[in-house]
Amino acid sequence: EVQLVESGGRVVRPGGSLRLSCAASGFTFDDFAMSWVRQAPGKGLEWVSGINWPGDSTRYADSVKDRFTISRDNAKNSLYLQMNSLRAEDTALYYCAREGGAYCGSASCHNVGMDYWGQGARVTVSS
Amino acid sequence: DIVLTQSPGTLSLSPGERATLSCRASQTISSSYLAWYQQKPGQAPRLLISGASNRATGIPDRFSGSGSGTDFTLTISRLEPEDFAVYFCQQYGNSRYTFGQGTKLEIK
């Protein structure tokens, strides 16, 4: 059974730092790209960052670029999000999600999307 | 950046009825990179549809997706009580994902 378990969420002061972790199990972790997606209270989903399976290519939303750093440790089946210079608008539930990659049927290929999600880690930025 | 606009914001229907949810992109996107998710209160999102029309594993066949170019649709043929939730569309392009703002499907 695929499981993604986030940890590290807490209350932090504006300007502070925090590191989220996501422990993966039930699948071959280094076969898949991974992403972080956040959801502010009562709001929609916002993709935050993604990383390829070897960990040498990363992507960021403009809203977090140069403040957040995504990384992974394939030996530990873990995904991380280092968050610096935190702002009130970073307050959200942070989900880690597996990117399912490409699926090719008999006629065509398509991107699978985010096929597994954790339950989220709550981050509150407040003084 | 590509913007996804979902309509309506809220859809009020009764169990057994048909639901049609729309997702419109600000520019043409590849249907291969269009997905739909369902989210219930207090739960993580769940993948329903990928590649615009391919149901994810375990998703009932009352859920179907269609569309191309800039206009995409999620259809639920006969609503079950457990289908009342928020639905998000998502696209992948230029190495980043974008979500629509969501459609809340509520019981009438």
Side-chain angles (χ1 to χ4, degrees):
Chain A
E1 179 194 6
V2 172
Q3 283 197 313
L4 298 170
V5 180
E6 301 92 338
S7 60
R10 61 175 175 88
V11 179
V12 61
R13 301 262 178 129
S17 297
L18 196 60
R19 188 197 199 203
L20 301 182
S21 299
C22 172
S25 61
F27 66 101
T28 304
F29 183 65
D30 56 9
D31 276 352
F32 293 89
M34 300 291 294
S35 271
W36 289 97
V37 176
R38 69 185 180 184
Q39 187 168 35
K43 302 298 184 182
L45 301 171
E46 180 188 16
W47 174 78
V48 172
S49 182
I51 188 168
N52 68 346
W53 66 266
D56 60 1
S57 177
T58 58
R59 303 156 275 142
Y60 298 94
D62 289 343
S63 58
V64 305
K65 193 174 173 61
D66 299 326
R67 298 189 300 123
F68 289 11
T69 302
I70 190 172
S71 62
R72 64 191 295 162
D73 185 337
N74 288 341
K76 294 183 178 180
N77 290 343
S78 293
L79 177 71
Y80 306 102
L81 186 67
Q82 176 67 42
M83 303 185 292
N84 298 332
S85 302
L86 283 161
R87 307 165 179 166
E89 53 266 35
D90 296 318
T91 293
L93 188 61
Y94 285 74
Y95 294 104
C96 81
R98 189 179 86 168
E99 297 184 31
Y103 174 81
C104 290
S106 57
S108 64
C109 299
H110 68 270
N111 183 277
V112 169
M114 296 177 183
D115 58 355
Y116 289 94
W117 298 63
Q119 286 304 304
R122 189 162 300 282
V123 174
T124 302
V125 184
S126 174
S127 54
Chain B
D1 283 1
I2 295 174
V3 176
L4 298 179
T5 302
Q6 293 185 240
S7 60
T10 302
L11 184 58
S12 300
L13 293 170
S14 301
E17 291 192 292
R18 180 184 186 91
T20 303
L21 287 66
S22 172
C23 176
R24 177 163 289 178
S26 59
Q27 57 187 277
T28 297
I29 62 174
S30 169
S31 58
S32 296
Y33 294 102
L34 192 287
W36 290 92
Y37 299 83
Q38 177 194 66
Q39 187 179 35
K40 297 180 181 179
Q43 296 185 17
R46 178 174 72 145
L47 176 67
L48 295 177
I49 300 282
S50 61
S53 61
N54 301 275
R55 277 187 302 277
T57 302
I59 301 303
D61 61 7
R62 64 180 181 273
F63 290 90
S64 63
S66 62
S68 63
T70 61
D71 292 309
F72 298 87
T73 300
L74 174 69
T75 302
I76 311 171
S77 59
R78 293 171 309 278
L79 285 166
E80 297 287 343
E82 62 267 28
D83 298 337
F84 291 92
V86 180
Y87 293 83
F88 296 95
C89 59
Q90 177 208 55
Q91 72 87 32
Y92 179 76
N94 292 330
S95 299
R96 59 187 60 194
Y97 289 93
T98 307
F99 289 91
Q101 83 280 15
T103 290
K104 182 180 181 180
L105 179 56
E106 64 176 24
I107 299 178
K108 186 174 181 180

